[in-house]
Amino acid sequence: MAEKETKTVKEVKLNPLVWEVPYRADLIAQVLYVFFNNERKGTSAVKGKGDVSGGGRKPWKQKGTGRARSGSIRSPLWVGGGVAFGPINRNWKRSINKKMVKKATSMILSKRLADKDLEFVDIDTDKELKELRNTVSKIIDSKTLIVSADENVSLALRNIPKITVVEPMKVNVKNIVNAKKVLIDNQSVKILEDRLTNGK
């Protein structure tokens, strides 16, 4: 980021349990699968035979009419009947072990750091919010995730295109994967590490 507002700190004491974790694509994919499924609303639905109104009486007797037997006018074979194999209102919610989620988050952070797509910065929040906003919006040209516990940073940058500000206690694999660049405020490093390692 701009030298006025942020400066990269080269010497940052990092916990290897978070920043040196071997990458496993299968675990990342599993966690993302659960995240994406939990965001699905499951609102697509149609009425089946039992949902359509009417059809409580047998249209005609079983035998003797010469017509095919029928039990309800709301059968999927009838016009106005229920749908046979339509989408149902399904619950897409999935659960996953919390330790797996933390491990996956550490993995993707380690990979981003190794690929030099992640930087540790000092964000100067003493500046006016408008000035901070204008400076940051000019220098960022790709989808960027900013991890900061400072509420002023979120207020200043929350609606700038291509910038997502997330608290260290809420950042997850999806946030990191969706961004091309990750900037972590040095004040948030310890908070993030304690969360992912349970203070170890």
Side-chain angles (χ1 to χ4, degrees), residues 87-105:
I88 59 175
N89 192 353
R90 179 176 174 182
N91 182 9
W92 293 95
K93 295 293 182 183
R94 298 289 184 272
S95 61
I96 191 170
N97 190 291
K98 291 182 180 179
K99 289 184 178 179
M100 295 173 66
V101 176
K102 290 180 179 180
K103 189 78 170 180
T105 306

Side-chain angles (χ1 to χ4, degrees), residues 174-189:
K174 182 188 171 186
N175 299 141
I176 302 169
V177 169
N178 284 341
K180 290 187 176 181
K181 190 76 174 177
V182 180
L183 301 178
I184 300 181
D185 187 4
N186 284 303
Q187 304 298 323
S188 302
V189 173

Side-chain angles (χ1 to χ4, degrees), residues 61-180:
K61 63 181 183 178
Q62 183 81 348
K63 295 179 179 293
T65 64
R67 288 177 290 185
R69 56 193 175 186
S70 180
S72 172
I73 63 173
R74 296 311 179 205
S75 165
L77 303 178
W78 285 53
V79 175
V83 178
F85 301 107
I88 59 175
N89 192 353
R90 179 176 174 182
N91 182 9
W92 293 95
K93 295 293 182 183
R94 298 289 184 272
S95 61
I96 191 170
N97 190 291
K98 291 182 180 179
K99 289 184 178 179
M100 295 173 66
V101 176
K102 290 180 179 180
K103 189 78 170 180
T105 306
S106 299
M107 283 181 183
I108 194 67
L109 285 172
S110 299
K111 181 170 176 56
R112 283 301 181 92
L113 182 61
D115 294 344
K116 297 182 179 180
D117 291 327
L118 185 149
E119 294 182 15
F120 301 100
V121 296
D122 280 325
I123 301 179
D124 186 1
T125 54
D126 292 334
K127 299 287 186 180
E128 292 291 334
L129 295 185
K130 184 175 181 181
E131 185 179 348
L132 174 63
R133 173 187 172 88
N134 291 338
T135 303
V136 172
S137 61
K138 290 178 182 178
I139 62 176
I140 290 182
D141 57 355
S142 60
K143 293 183 70 174
T144 302
L145 173 67
I146 298 178
V147 180
S148 176
D150 194 318
E151 186 179 356
N152 288 332
V153 176
S154 178
L155 290 173
L157 309 177
R158 61 185 175 182
N159 60 349
I160 298 179
K162 300 182 180 180
I163 295 179
T164 303
V165 182
V166 181
E167 297 176 14
M169 294 300 293
K170 295 182 179 180
V171 65
N172 57 43
V173 176
K174 182 188 171 186
N175 299 141
I176 302 169
V177 169
N178 284 341
K180 290 187 176 181

